[in-house]
Amino acid sequence: MSAEGFSLFDTRIGTCAVAWGEHGIVGLGLPESTAGGTRARMRRRFPDAPEAEPPSSVTDAITAMVALLSGEAADLDGVALDMDGVPEFHRRVYEVTRAIPPGDTMTYGEIATQLGDPGSARAVGQALGANPFPIVIPCHRVLAAGGKAGGFSANGGTATKMRMLTIEGALPPTLF
């Protein structure tokens, strides 16, 4: 997928990144260990996109994401995501995941059941591992069976996931 540009932005969890195109956000990046690492990852994902000042719709999305990652109430429902090239099953998983409010969690199995395919928890996990829109599609709010952390492909792994859940006040008692 191509992007018109990308930009870095600072949050409570580190420097994140956003790439946009004609039809909305085409990719988000959670922090690497340094801002330079986040920038390099976006350049690998979107080699033809310049680092640039984002359009107002993306600036509004950044403001909401920064607020959310600061523990404030923020509505990301209106953030336009360009899902061109995203497989249909992944889109369905992302739709259910996007509906999980801050402070709540679901399990991979619960999402699979909600999709009408209770045996697809592993496929749900794979779809979330490929999520190009973390924060807006809050894959960090999805846990393994029994409230265990499960995986998280972002830099820092499950520690980053737990940090995001802590900020949102969503850590279930079984994770303490």
Side-chain angles (χ1 to χ4, degrees):
M1 176 168 300
S2 65
E4 293 176 359
F6 78 92
S7 184
L8 302 182
F9 60 99
D10 291 323
T11 73
R12 184 170 166 189
I13 65 167
T15 302
C16 294
V18 59
W20 61 88
E22 183 180 346
H23 302 291
I25 291 174
V26 296
L28 286 159
L30 290 171
E32 295 295 325
S33 55
T34 66
T38 304
R39 179 178 288 110
R41 184 174 203 185
M42 291 305 278
R43 286 192 172 137
R44 283 191 304 275
R45 281 178 68 188
F46 304 102
D48 297 327
E51 188 168 356
E53 195 66 33
S56 62
S57 61
V58 176
T59 300
D60 292 345
I62 289 170
T63 299
M65 288 185 280
V66 169
L68 182 73
L69 292 172
S70 294
E72 300 171 25
D75 183 5
L76 302 179
D77 289 345
V79 174
L81 301 176
D82 183 347
M83 292 210 192
D84 187 41
V86 174
E88 180 59 33
F89 179 77
H90 291 206
R91 288 178 192 222
R92 292 176 52 222
V93 170
Y94 299 162
E95 181 180 334
V96 172
T97 304
R98 193 170 187 180
I100 304 169
D104 287 346
T105 60
M106 288 181 77
T107 66
Y108 300 106
E110 288 170 334
I111 291 175
T113 298
Q114 192 165 332
L115 293 173
D117 189 359
S120 66
R122 186 176 303 270
V124 167
Q126 291 170 344
L128 292 171
N131 177 10
F133 312 107
I135 306 170
V136 176
I137 305 293
C139 51
H140 63 281
R141 296 181 191 147
V142 182
L143 304 172
K148 292 183 174 56
F152 199 59
S153 58
N155 183 53
T158 56
T160 299
K161 182 176 192 168
M162 295 298 100
R163 188 164 180 212
M164 293 171 77
L165 289 171
T166 299
I167 289 168
E168 294 182 357
L171 276 179
T174 57
L175 295 177
F176 291 112

